[in-house]
Amino acid sequence: MNLLATLAAVLVLASALHSFGQQPLPVPLNLQATYTKGTRSATGQPGPTYWQNSAEYDIEVSFNPTTRRVAGTVDIVYQNASPDSLRQLQFKLYPNLYQKGAPRVSRISPKDIGEGVQIEALSLAGQAQDVRELRIQATNMPVKLPKPLAPGSNLKVHVAYSYILNKGSHTRTGEVEPGADFVAYFFPRIAVYDDVDGWNVVEYNGSQEFYNDFCTFRAAITVPRNFVVWATGDLKNPGQVLAPKYVQRLQNAEQQDGITFIIGPDDLKRQDITAPNPQNTWRFEAQDVTDFVFATADHYVWQASSLVVDPATKRRTRVDAVYNPKHKDYEEVVQFNRRTVEAMSYTFPKWPFPYSHETVFDGLDQMEYPMMVNDNPVATRDDAITLTDHEVFHTMFPFYMGTNETKYGWMDEGWATIGEWLISALIKPGFADEYGIEPYARGSAQEFDVPITTLSTLQNGPAFFLNSYPKPALGYLYVKDLLGDELFTEALHTYIQNWHGKHPMPFDFFNSMNTGAGLNLNWFWQRWFFDDGYPDLAISSVNKSGSGYDILVTAKGTKPVPIDVAVTFADGKTEKMHCTVSVWQAGNTTVTVPVTTKQPVTRVVLGSTYVPDKNKADNVWEGK
């Protein structure tokens, strides 16, 4: 409604110089230190002395689907770009979630608890180390260096290892069913050393997610005949592991818009898909990614298509659905995958999909990895849509952006949640995905409802869910609504341009958005992300005015949310009106929504799908 748009604009302009709108955000002292050191800046850009470490990984791994034994070697060239001399390396052994005695929040079958990762050999700069002296602490393995690794230098590391992949307790990785496995976090890796915390020593307990450096991965994965491998990165030797007709189908799929079967049900019966060797070694390579995973199966079909994701360069991305043909809900997943990649490239966040393929694998979880997704079968088509687009959207956040999911779940899951809301409606017009909205309305203002910016490592249960998923997603959505699509896209692209391929912290996001929008949004960031409070609007009164009616809306809670009212007139017609969160910027607790009409108003309803409300009992006014 034009009058409301004008009202919102006037309120924003009138309060622009109000001190409430100019308050600085409360930056913790350890994060303020990054400004002093010059690694980060108050504009949101990386500072002049920003740095981050990286590595090249050459992985050779053999996987036996029958015994589930993973055994291999990792050769690492680790680059110390920091200004510090490193006296140790901190390794992550994520499979040790299943080690006897390891701390965990996940329920694990006793049959899956074992000895964990066995380090069989370790050398540093070609010098063998005594592995008996290693002091492995569950998923952390500190390794003291014979001499400090100087700034600007690199170190060659060799590790030989093995472990047994879990079977019955599938937490983001493990056997899916006999003959199908999703193998993630399967190799020893060097943890992140950054300008904020130094080494990332937070143990993985199955709850918080991950934080890894951008690296180059070259992987050689050996599996038995008839097992196909899908993985992060590009398959470098298709002619050595696939029969010629399947190589041709794969090449065709990478260049055509249509959806085809690379492996169909009839192909599975013939068992002529892979090279006829007892064992085949599949070689993949990926650059500038934060992780590497693979999946393998001997009885899954493979649907694929591709699309142009960058009209400037005509670059294409292949999209896959790999699944057990018994799971009929997966038959449309390749289409949902394609629509998501298309929407991400052209609509939201309107950034060319950054990778060469996106493979959705029929697994036992709901988890994302670079270029790969491990998604369980679901009961309904709507569930298949929302699950697919949510996990695929993670490609941008956290992988393209390199956020610390362990500490800041909202910088990861919050984006995937708003992506799910927006893209699901594009895949199925009229579909209003309400994921997390009502749980937040119910859970707000309870003891566990702490601010979003509370470290994820300090949360669990409902607090962890609300602060990782719906609350930040609503915050992003409200800023998008406030700025409008064009300016929001410009602000978001400023953040992406500043920090893709790096490690942004929360204030890098807030400051980049402010800079990109050309507006100080701290008033909203403070109230939505940092402060306590809850969303609760009420209709206080509906009174006649000179031009029609005035609807007085009162904010009983302190969380700023949009105002949506549906007004019904005596002739039965209904008009909807909307005010962005900008109407609350000045710190006011009431807003008058004018209705221009000559018709009597008979009913007013306050609220909409994406506006949670603690108490809905005062959201309806009935005329007398």
Side-chain angles (χ1 to χ4, degrees):
M1 189 174 183
N2 289 337
L3 181 58
L4 285 175
T6 302
L7 172 65
V10 168
L11 283 169
V12 170
L13 181 62
S15 61
L17 298 178
H18 194 282
S19 61
F20 186 83
Q22 301 299 322
Q23 61 181 325
L25 295 176
V27 184
L29 290 178
N30 65 310
L31 302 185
Q32 288 182 33
T34 64
Y35 301 147
T36 304
K37 292 184 293 187
T39 55
R40 299 169 193 261
S41 71
T43 66
Q45 292 181 312
T49 62
Y50 178 79
W51 55 267
Q52 64 188 61
N53 292 352
S54 62
E56 292 189 16
Y57 286 78
D58 283 279
I59 304 169
E60 293 189 5
V61 63
S62 176
F63 177 62
N64 185 327
T66 302
T67 64
R68 306 190 316 281
R69 186 171 187 264
V70 178
T73 61
V74 184
D75 286 283
I76 309 169
V77 179
Y78 183 70
Q79 182 69 41
N80 179 19
S82 82
D84 306 322
S85 292
L86 303 180
R87 298 182 180 276
Q88 70 168 8
L89 295 181
Q90 182 75 41
F91 284 80
K92 291 294 184 182
L93 303 178
Y94 290 131
N96 277 358
L97 176 70
Y98 296 90
Q99 185 184 52
K100 181 189 299 184
R104 64 181 71 89
V105 297
S106 308
R107 292 183 178 179
I108 291 179
S109 167
K111 295 180 180 180
D112 275 329
I113 296 175
E115 298 304 314
V117 178
Q118 302 300 299
I119 303 297
E120 293 151 7
L122 171 68
S123 65
L124 303 171
Q127 298 181 355
Q129 308 295 303
D130 188 348
V131 297
R132 294 172 299 178
E133 295 183 357
L134 293 173
R135 296 295 179 260
I136 298 173
Q137 303 155 4
T139 58
N140 286 339
M141 183 177 78
V143 174
K144 185 177 180 180
L145 300 180
K147 65 176 183 179
L149 181 60
S153 61
N154 60 51
L155 179 67
K156 293 183 178 180
V157 181
H158 173 82
V159 186
Y161 72 101
S162 65
Y163 73 97
I164 302 300
L165 183 72
N166 52 294
K167 181 178 182 178
S169 307
H170 195 108
T171 301
R172 299 170 177 158
T173 180
E175 182 181 274
V176 177
E177 59 190 31
D181 301 84
F182 199 100
V183 188
Y185 326 122
F186 66 93
F187 57 93
R189 75 192 69 203
I190 299 176
V192 175
Y193 183 84
D194 67 18
D195 63 315
V196 176
D197 297 317
W199 286 113
N200 170 28
V201 296
V202 179
E203 290 185 345
Y204 171 52
N205 63 11
S207 177
Q208 288 82 26
E209 296 183 16
F210 304 94
Y211 184 35
N212 296 309
D213 276 321
F214 284 87
C215 299
T216 294
F217 294 94
R218 291 178 288 270
I221 303 163
T222 301
V223 294
R225 179 183 179 179
N226 295 326
F227 277 84
V228 179
V229 177
W230 299 265
T232 302
D234 298 321
L235 176 62
K236 292 298 184 179
N237 64 334
Q240 296 177 9
V241 292
L242 289 170
K245 67 178 178 181
Y246 300 101
V247 175
Q248 188 61 54
R249 290 179 188 178
L250 176 59
Q251 292 173 346
N252 291 343
E254 291 174 339
Q255 297 300 322
Q256 65 186 23
D257 293 341
I259 296 171
T260 61
F261 275 101
I262 295 176
I263 300 173
D266 292 339
D267 301 315
L268 294 174
K269 297 175 184 177
R270 286 192 296 270
Q271 292 193 330
D272 65 346
I273 299 163
T274 68
N277 307 308
Q279 301 279 318
N280 289 306
T281 299
W282 300 66
R283 299 184 182 277
F284 295 86
E285 185 171 329
Q287 297 180 341
D288 295 325
V289 294
T290 58
D291 202 358
F292 185 94
V293 303
F294 73 90
T296 186
D298 65 354
H299 60 285
Y300 274 24
V301 296
W302 180 3
Q303 286 182 289
S305 176
S306 68
L307 67 155
V308 174
V309 295
D310 188 345
T313 63
K314 305 301 181 184
R315 180 173 59 82
R316 301 180 77 92
T317 289
R318 190 188 80 234
V319 293
D320 304 322
V322 177
Y323 59 97
N324 187 326
K326 294 180 180 179
H327 295 156
K328 301 301 181 182
D329 60 295
Y330 248 89
E331 292 178 351
E332 286 189 275
V333 165
V334 68
Q335 299 180 45
F336 303 153
N337 189 3
R338 180 187 172 90
R339 289 294 304 277
T340 301
V341 169
E342 180 181 45
M344 290 174 64
S345 300
Y346 296 101
T347 307
F348 181 78
K350 206 172 184 180
W351 190 275
F353 195 84
Y355 301 122
S356 60
H357 76 87
E358 183 68 18
T359 301
V360 180
F361 188 84
D362 179 2
L364 290 176
D365 216 301
Q366 301 182 356
M367 189 65 193
E368 71 283 351
Y369 318 78
M371 308 183 212
M372 297 285 289
V373 169
N374 174 7
D375 274 352
N376 56 264
V378 291
T380 69
R381 185 172 187 266
D382 287 355
D383 288 341
I385 291 172
T386 57
L387 179 56
T388 302
D389 57 29
H390 181 105
E391 304 305 339
V392 172
F393 199 87
H394 275 300
T395 298
M396 290 296 295
F397 311 93
F399 300 127
Y400 193 61
M401 300 302 293
T403 54
N404 186 340
E405 306 169 78
T406 306
K407 290 174 65 176
Y408 314 121
W410 59 271
M411 297 182 72
D412 164 34
E413 296 295 352
W415 283 110
T417 301
I418 184 178
E420 172 188 331
W421 292 342
L422 297 176
I423 294 175
S424 294
L426 298 176
I427 296 174
K428 181 182 177 181
F431 177 35
D433 175 24
E434 302 178 15
Y435 178 66
I437 304 295
E438 191 54 34
Y440 175 43
R442 292 194 306 269
S444 62
Q446 304 302 304
E447 285 183 313
F448 56 75
D449 184 24
V450 295
I452 294 172
T453 51
T454 305
L455 293 181
S456 297
T457 50
L458 302 179
Q459 303 177 56
N460 54 38
F464 181 77
F465 170 75
L466 296 180
N467 283 326
S468 297
Y469 295 83
K471 287 172 65 177
L474 289 168
Y476 303 146
L477 187 68
Y478 296 161
V479 172
K480 183 176 184 291
D481 182 41
L482 185 156
L483 297 179
D485 287 348
E486 184 175 348
L487 186 56
F488 179 81
T489 299
E490 184 175 340
L492 182 56
H493 284 190
T494 299
Y495 171 50
I496 294 173
Q497 288 162 352
N498 284 347
W499 288 98
H500 76 82
K502 300 181 177 66
H503 293 312
M505 66 176 183
F507 298 91
D508 300 320
F509 165 69
F510 295 130
N511 293 333
S512 291
M513 292 292 290
N514 287 353
T515 299
L519 294 171
N520 189 328
L521 299 170
N522 286 354
W523 71 272
F524 181 77
W525 305 133
Q526 177 72 47
R527 293 169 67 182
W528 194 263
F529 287 84
F530 292 84
D531 290 351
D532 290 316
Y534 59 96
D536 186 14
L537 300 182
I539 299 174
S540 294
S541 63
V542 178
N543 297 310
K544 286 188 176 182
S545 66
S547 58
Y549 289 81
D550 285 337
I551 303 171
L552 184 65
V553 177
T554 298
K556 293 186 173 180
T558 57
K559 290 294 185 187
V561 294
I563 298 173
D564 288 294
V565 290
V567 181
T568 301
F569 303 100
D571 60 3
K573 294 181 179 178
T574 299
E575 183 175 355
K576 294 183 179 180
M577 288 166 284
H578 175 75
C579 299
T580 75
V581 292
S582 62
V583 296
W584 307 110
Q585 181 174 345
N588 48 300
T589 58
T590 61
V591 169
T592 298
V593 180
V595 181
T596 302
T597 180
K598 295 181 179 178
Q599 283 278 338
V601 170
T602 59
R603 195 168 191 260
V604 178
V605 178
L606 176 66
S608 62
T609 299
Y610 297 107
V611 180
D613 198 297
K614 186 64 181 177
N615 176 24
K616 299 180 180 64
D618 48 17
N619 288 11
V620 178
W621 176 89
E622 301 282 358
K624 297 179 180 179

